[in-house]
Amino acid sequence: MNPRATFFATVALLAASGILVAVLRFLETGTPFLPGQERSVWQVEARVDLVALGGPVSVSLSVPEDLPQFTITQEQAASPGFGFSIVEDGGDRRAEWTRREASGPQSLYYSAQFLPRPRAPAAPPPRLPRAEPVFWSEVQGTAAAELLARAGETSSDPLSLARELVKLMATRQGDQNAALLLGQAESRAALLNKLLNDADVPARQVLALQLEDARRRQDLKPMVEVFQAGEWTLIDPQTGAAGVPEDLLLWHRKGRSLIDVSGARQSRVNFSMLRQSVPAETLARAAAGDSAFYKVGLHSLPIEEQGMFKMLLLLPLGAMVVVFMRVLVGVRTAGTFMPILIALAFLQTSLLPGLASFISVVALGLMMRGYLSRLNLLLVARIATLIVLVIFIISALSILGYQLGYSTGMIITFFPMIIIAWTIERMSILWEEEGVREVLIQGTGSLVVAVAAYALMRWPLVQHLTFNFPELNLVLLAAILAMGQYTGYKLSELRRFHAIEEEWR
């Protein structure tokens, strides 16, 4: 058989296989091809890390219940060697792990799926809560009384009192009482809770999770709930805003501490989350575990790994954009993979800050590389020196950006240090051999390709398809292979024939 025919038959088979598996996934799970036809759910995973001391181990973690705007559709735990159960303890719902004997580092996982719902009216508590007793030192008591007196003059109910206290704490530089209390308080939420209870207002400190797609190793935010008009109202101790935002999950609201551990030390809890678009009928199937695609697919992985793959599965699309722009359009870039890395970094931040950070680091690195070239260093030593200098540049940009109130300096840390150093080295060599013009052409080409890849990778439809239908990457692979056989003129070369076109006219 003709090798060329074999090649194109292989390309067609790859594309057909990807489309066929995607169609089978749609028929089996009901996952639609358009993201607008799905329901969004939050998959949240709590990870407990600890070091067991060699004897019996017991871990109790508070888990959500009675959420005002979410329904828990699925719960599971991953704890090799540990027994697991959900128990009710004095109105507090808790996940408990137990093991007769364990030693060394241990990791326990609790995962739950939260389906957003219209905010339901809160059920009245079985009995009216009372303000908790508060104990101050003599100096703290005087400062708290003066602070409450000032806030009471401009408030009329518990919620307005809480807002006024937040305002006074926000301007602590002008209020000595607020500065004194904040300096000795565990957190702003803890201080607000004590002040409200001291004013005979029932209040309690709660822990909430800020929901953001594909975030890992997040901590809970302390907040305060105030009882008024027969219900608990959430108060943000940083802004004074009342109510529960749509992207806030109240994880721990009542009962004892967030986590209790016996038989271990150095315990820590962090959270990972992932937003998924799943049809309503698929939620029931996934809960029952009757779909083979879900059992062997990405959705069976821990949330932290799913968030990582959600980014990685966009790389084939970036690679196809690079091949198209270089092979068919004729854009010259500084290497093949650098535009993909730049585009992936832009997804973590935004376009303009990413461009500014990348250009700043490379420009400063080229200036330092020009000085290193005069020292006649060996290649290995020169590259190692550039890595150290790049780290110093990024640190300086981070500090400068933080002082100015921006984070543009910190986002560049997403780029691999060695790749940046090698790019600076390549561009400096290109500068010496071909001149500044070639450096500007390839550098600009890399940024143009990166922006084009970023625009496609940020498209919600593309993100949905690459994560929920990873087999479609076979279609991208077929397209890359097909473009790899192209040996004709590039679009950028058409200007060479402009003069001939003018003569024919």
Side-chain angles (χ1 to χ4, degrees), residues 274-320:
L274 187 70
R275 187 171 188 170
Q276 299 175 339
S277 295
V278 183
E281 62 271 17
T282 306
L283 290 175
R285 295 179 184 177
D290 60 351
S291 173
F293 284 100
Y294 276 85
K295 290 180 180 179
V296 300
L298 296 175
H299 296 86
S300 62
L301 296 175
I303 303 302
E304 189 171 347
E305 279 73 15
Q306 289 188 44
M308 177 184 64
F309 275 104
K310 193 170 187 178
M311 286 294 179
L312 289 180
L313 289 172
L314 293 172
L315 291 179
L317 180 64
M320 189 193 71

Side-chain angles (χ1 to χ4, degrees), residues 347-366:
L347 290 177
Q348 297 292 316
T349 57
S350 57
L351 185 58
L352 294 181
L355 281 171
S357 299
F358 177 75
I359 294 173
S360 301
V361 172
V362 173
L364 291 174
L366 284 174

Side-chain angles (χ1 to χ4, degrees), residues 9-24 471-475 478:
T10 303
V11 170
L13 180 62
L14 285 173
S17 300
I19 295 174
L20 177 61
V21 175
V23 172
L24 290 176
E471 57 275 359
L472 291 179
N473 282 320
L474 293 176
V475 180

Side-chain angles (χ1 to χ4, degrees), residues 209-269:
L209 184 64
Q210 189 73 42
L211 296 176
E212 188 175 353
D213 190 20
R215 299 291 291 178
R216 299 181 293 170
R217 300 187 180 278
Q218 301 298 297
D219 295 323
L220 296 175
K221 295 171 51 177
M223 306 186 82
V224 176
E225 281 188 324
V226 179
F227 189 78
Q228 176 179 290
E231 63 178 1
W232 292 99
T233 302
L234 187 71
I235 296 293
D236 190 334
Q238 303 297 327
T239 64
V244 183
E246 297 297 328
D247 59 349
L248 195 71
L249 176 64
L250 296 180
W251 189 273
H252 178 65
R253 302 182 67 187
K254 53 188 176 182
R256 58 178 192 265
S257 59
L258 172 66
I259 182 172
D260 294 327
V261 179
S262 63
R265 56 185 176 86
Q266 298 179 8
S267 61
R268 174 175 172 79
V269 185

Side-chain angles (χ1 to χ4, degrees), residues 58-326:
S58 176
V59 180
S60 177
L61 174 69
S62 177
V63 293
E65 68 166 345
D66 190 24
L67 299 175
Q69 64 208 71
F70 291 97
T71 300
I72 302 177
T73 60
Q74 182 180 348
E75 287 181 296
Q76 58 186 5
S79 47
F82 282 79
F84 175 79
S85 60
I86 301 290
V87 299
E88 296 284 343
D89 184 6
D92 186 16
R93 190 165 175 267
R94 305 187 71 85
E96 290 191 354
W97 293 268
T98 53
R99 186 172 177 177
R100 182 171 295 277
E101 184 177 349
S103 62
Q106 307 288 332
S107 294
L108 311 175
Y109 296 89
Y110 166 83
S111 178
Q113 196 173 68
F114 297 90
L115 176 65
R117 66 176 182 183
R119 192 183 303 273
R127 56 186 180 87
L128 294 179
R130 296 182 179 180
E132 300 176 355
V134 177
F135 301 97
W136 305 99
S137 66
E138 183 177 353
V139 176
Q140 290 177 336
T142 302
E146 294 182 4
L147 200 63
L148 286 171
R150 287 189 56 188
E153 294 175 355
T154 55
S155 62
S156 59
D157 54 29
L159 286 181
S160 60
L161 176 62
R163 285 194 294 266
E164 293 301 317
L165 288 172
V166 171
K167 292 179 183 178
L168 292 175
M169 288 189 290
T171 58
R172 61 181 184 275
Q173 294 182 352
D175 192 298
Q176 297 180 353
N177 297 315
L180 170 66
L181 295 174
L182 281 172
Q184 301 177 7
E186 178 183 350
S187 65
R188 186 171 294 191
L191 176 58
L192 178 61
N193 180 52
K194 288 187 68 174
L195 288 170
L196 289 172
N197 280 282
D198 192 25
D200 202 25
V201 174
R204 63 187 182 189
Q205 188 172 341
V206 300
L207 297 175
L209 184 64
Q210 189 73 42
L211 296 176
E212 188 175 353
D213 190 20
R215 299 291 291 178
R216 299 181 293 170
R217 300 187 180 278
Q218 301 298 297
D219 295 323
L220 296 175
K221 295 171 51 177
M223 306 186 82
V224 176
E225 281 188 324
V226 179
F227 189 78
Q228 176 179 290
E231 63 178 1
W232 292 99
T233 302
L234 187 71
I235 296 293
D236 190 334
Q238 303 297 327
T239 64
V244 183
E246 297 297 328
D247 59 349
L248 195 71
L249 176 64
L250 296 180
W251 189 273
H252 178 65
R253 302 182 67 187
K254 53 188 176 182
R256 58 178 192 265
S257 59
L258 172 66
I259 182 172
D260 294 327
V261 179
S262 63
R265 56 185 176 86
Q266 298 179 8
S267 61
R268 174 175 172 79
V269 185
N270 57 65
F271 297 83
S272 301
M273 64 208 75
L274 187 70
R275 187 171 188 170
Q276 299 175 339
S277 295
V278 183
E281 62 271 17
T282 306
L283 290 175
R285 295 179 184 177
D290 60 351
S291 173
F293 284 100
Y294 276 85
K295 290 180 180 179
V296 300
L298 296 175
H299 296 86
S300 62
L301 296 175
I303 303 302
E304 189 171 347
E305 279 73 15
Q306 289 188 44
M308 177 184 64
F309 275 104
K310 193 170 187 178
M311 286 294 179
L312 289 180
L313 289 172
L314 293 172
L315 291 179
L317 180 64
M320 189 193 71
V321 172
V322 172
V323 173
F324 175 81
M325 297 294 283
R326 293 192 60 169

